[in-house]
Amino acid sequence: MLEISEKLSHHHETMTDLSVALSYDARKKSRIRVALSNGEEAAIFMPRGSILRGGDILVASDGRKITVIAADQAVSRVTAKTAQALTRAAYHLGNRHVPLQIEASWLIFEQDAVLKDMLLGLGDIEVEDLDAPFEPEAGAYGGGHHHGHDH
């Protein structure tokens, strides 16, 4: 089985022939078996506590490079009628330590019916369930938030 234990630190121009699509939960695991885009099985070994992000480039034991794709998964997108209402939603989700993707006009979290009901109960908030990639904030001590287009 192909082994992968290296992540490139600078990758914005690296071309790859292979990819691996992983949910956020899978990208948090330090050891996981995966199927690459060509159907080949591989084992990923990353340092404990690391999180793979969409756009990361991994290097396999045979030198091949693999692009990590943030797979579509069941998420909920929160929008609000006012900035204050959206901020209130972020506060309540953060107070529950929910992994949260934060953008200028919306929030995304992994689908959870209880959280959805709580948010709708706040008023002036809409919650839409959808399948989309999930790239939550890394946290205050986790190196910040990264998108594939960041340098």
Side-chain angles (χ1 to χ4, degrees):
M1 176 180 306
L2 187 65
E3 291 187 4
I4 303 166
S5 59
E6 181 183 351
K7 180 173 76 167
L8 295 181
S9 58
H10 299 288
H11 55 73
H12 61 278
E13 295 179 14
T14 302
M15 300 297 292
T16 65
D17 292 323
L18 293 171
S19 63
V20 60
L22 301 169
S23 69
Y24 176 64
D25 283 340
R27 289 182 283 123
K28 291 188 302 185
K29 296 182 184 218
S30 58
R31 289 164 177 38
I32 186 172
R33 285 186 180 209
V34 299
L36 303 177
S37 55
N38 66 355
E40 187 176 358
E41 283 193 10
I44 297 176
F45 302 100
M46 290 289 128
R48 295 208 184 277
S50 37
I51 298 174
L52 297 174
R53 298 289 182 174
D56 282 349
I57 305 296
L58 306 176
V59 181
S61 54
D62 65 2
R64 289 185 287 170
K65 294 178 177 63
I66 300 115
T67 302
V68 175
I69 297 171
D72 284 352
Q73 63 182 84
V75 295
S76 296
R77 181 171 46 208
V78 180
T79 55
K81 295 180 181 178
T82 67
Q84 182 179 10
L86 189 61
T87 302
R88 185 180 311 116
Y91 169 80
H92 284 286
L93 290 168
N95 195 38
R96 286 155 182 80
H97 302 280
V98 174
L100 192 61
Q101 183 174 340
I102 302 170
E103 299 297 339
S105 61
W106 48 263
L107 311 169
I108 287 185
F109 64 95
E110 292 175 296
Q111 279 184 18
D112 181 299
V114 172
L115 293 173
K116 181 178 180 177
D117 288 345
M118 176 210 50
L119 291 170
L120 292 173
L122 295 173
D124 292 334
I125 293 173
E126 294 181 14
V127 181
E128 172 189 14
D129 292 335
L130 53 115
D131 287 328
F134 183 50
E135 290 283 3
E137 291 290 318
Y141 304 103
H145 183 76
H146 303 285
H147 287 285
H149 61 264
D150 287 346
H151 294 98

